[in-house]
């Protein structure tokens, strides 16, 4: 095994152990001090709370790394299929460690956070990352996909507000809902033309055919399936956001009697 592959393996293992430590030690300790409502949660809710806290930390770390690569890694941006994958591999190795850690927690705490969809999602992602880590292929597209992690903190925060009993019409909940809709649209929907234009530009080229058949399937098919789901989720998020904002506006306006008006 070459030194760089050993480094990537070390990063993945370190990432796995770090996220386990964050789940079991850091999140409970931090949550008890930041949110008094944590004490009133059931054991199952505390498991999911810690899981989502770790998920948020991972999303922020990986998302910021993604932006750096997108704006400053010229090798990857100039050659999206075979560009120098050093930084992308490092970022993907962090995510790989997180996904394996999360899978372990899902299986161990199945009654609390077990979800077949997440198991399939994590396994599919790990399959795709194999080609990035093992063969250094498609670094630009792997990095671009990880930008979607920026929507995760808002999604998790929505659950935190719900379990703490915040009304949907409360200002923090509405602000987070609007932020979730905007960020989700920006990192999962608005970027589609850029992503698929780069895919179209390399499709059929020599570099494209050098990618193993399995890698091409994982790349193209997973991209299309994920974006179909993203469009469906965006529709639901937009509808939910509109309903909450409309309800809050009507509640604020009140009835004629509440406004001191009579017929």
């Amino acid at each position: 095994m070459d030194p760089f592959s050993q480094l990537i393996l070390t990063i993945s293992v370190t990432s796995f152990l770090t996220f386990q430590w964050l789940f079991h030690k850091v999140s409970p300790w931090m949550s008890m001090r930041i949110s008094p409502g944590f004490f009133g949660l059931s054991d199952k809710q505390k498991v999911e709370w810690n899981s989502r806290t770790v998920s948020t930390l991972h999303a922020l770390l990986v998302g910021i790394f993604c932006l750096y690569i997108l704006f400053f890694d010229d090798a990857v941006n100039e050659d999206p299929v075979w560009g120098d994958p050093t930084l992308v591999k490092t970022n993907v190795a962090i995510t790989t460690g997180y996904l394996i850690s999360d899978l372990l927690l899902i299986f161990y705490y199945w009654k609390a956070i077990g979800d077949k969809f997440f198991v399939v999602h994590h396994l599919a992602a790990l399959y795709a990352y194999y080609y990035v880590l093992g063969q250094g292929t498609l670094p630009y597209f792997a990095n671009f996909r990880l930008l979607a992690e920026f929507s995760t903190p808002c999604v998790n925060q929505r659950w935190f507000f719900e379990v703490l009993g915040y009304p949907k019409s409360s200002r923090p909940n509405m602000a987070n809902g609007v932020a979730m809709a905007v960020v989700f649209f920006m990192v999962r929907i608005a970027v589609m033309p850029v992503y698929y234009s780069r895919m179209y530009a390399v499709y059929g080229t020599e570099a494209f055919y050098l990618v193993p058949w399995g890698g091409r399937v994982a790349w193209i098919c997973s991209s299309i399936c994920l974006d179909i789901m993203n469009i469906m989720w965006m529709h639901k998020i937009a509808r939910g956001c509109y309903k909450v904002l409309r309800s809050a506006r009507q509640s604020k306006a009140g009835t004629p009697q509440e406004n001191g008006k009579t017929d």
Side-chain angles (χ1 to χ4, degrees):
M1 183 181 290
D2 64 85
F4 184 66
S5 295
Q6 292 179 355
L7 175 62
I8 293 302
L9 178 60
T10 301
I11 292 172
S12 297
V13 173
T14 302
S15 172
F16 169 84
L17 296 175
T18 300
F19 285 115
Q20 284 287 313
W21 174 64
L22 289 171
F23 174 87
H24 290 287
K25 300 296 183 181
V26 177
S27 177
W29 180 86
M30 182 177 65
S31 298
M32 286 188 293
R33 286 158 177 78
I34 294 177
S35 177
F38 181 78
F39 291 98
L41 301 180
S42 66
D43 290 341
K44 289 184 178 180
Q45 288 174 326
K46 287 180 180 178
V47 168
E48 185 164 358
W49 178 290
N50 294 328
S51 174
R52 288 181 180 272
T53 300
V54 173
S55 170
T56 295
L57 294 174
H58 164 261
L60 293 174
L61 172 63
V62 171
I64 293 171
F65 206 169
C66 279
L67 284 180
Y68 176 83
I69 294 170
L70 188 64
F71 289 115
F72 300 108
D73 194 334
D74 295 333
V76 168
N77 290 314
E78 291 172 6
D79 184 357
V81 181
W82 293 102
D84 179 14
T86 301
L87 292 179
V88 175
K89 276 189 172 184
T90 302
N91 207 19
V92 169
I94 294 171
T95 297
T96 297
Y98 165 74
L99 290 175
I100 296 174
S101 171
D102 199 47
L103 273 176
L104 178 64
L105 294 173
I106 287 174
F107 288 131
Y108 189 80
Y109 297 104
W110 185 262
K111 292 183 178 180
I113 57 175
D115 190 314
K116 294 178 181 178
F117 172 80
F118 281 111
V119 172
V120 173
H121 171 273
H122 287 9
L123 292 176
L126 289 171
Y127 170 70
Y129 292 156
Y130 160 78
Y131 290 96
V132 181
L133 296 178
Q135 303 183 29
T137 62
L138 306 166
Y140 173 87
F141 299 100
N143 182 70
F144 208 100
R145 276 296 170 190
L146 281 174
L147 285 174
E149 288 296 326
F150 271 119
S151 64
T152 300
C154 290
V155 174
N156 287 336
Q157 188 60 48
R158 181 186 180 187
W159 183 88
F160 291 141
F161 282 144
E162 180 181 346
V163 79
L164 290 175
Y166 280 68
K168 290 185 178 180
S169 58
S170 65
R171 285 188 177 182
N173 222 331
M174 287 194 294
N176 180 72
V178 172
M180 180 175 68
V182 172
V183 174
F184 194 98
F185 176 79
M186 290 176 61
V187 301
R188 293 178 183 255
I189 306 299
V191 297
M192 285 185 189
V194 178
Y195 182 85
Y196 285 104
S197 65
R198 294 302 299 270
M199 180 186 288
Y200 180 77
V202 302
Y203 183 84
T205 63
E206 181 180 356
F208 172 82
Y209 286 114
L210 288 174
V211 178
W213 182 84
R216 280 178 265 161
V217 171
W219 170 36
I220 298 174
C221 293
S222 64
S223 294
I224 294 173
C225 291
L226 282 172
D227 284 330
I228 290 174
M229 289 189 291
N230 283 332
I231 292 172
M232 294 171 61
W233 287 332
M234 184 72 250
H235 177 68
K236 291 182 178 180
I237 290 172
R239 286 187 60 187
C241 186
Y242 173 75
K243 288 181 179 179
V244 171
L245 291 176
R246 183 181 179 184
S247 175
R249 187 167 58 248
Q250 290 175 343
S251 176
K252 186 176 181 180
T255 62
Q257 289 78 8
E258 290 173 336
N259 289 328
K261 298 180 181 178
T262 57
D263 294 334

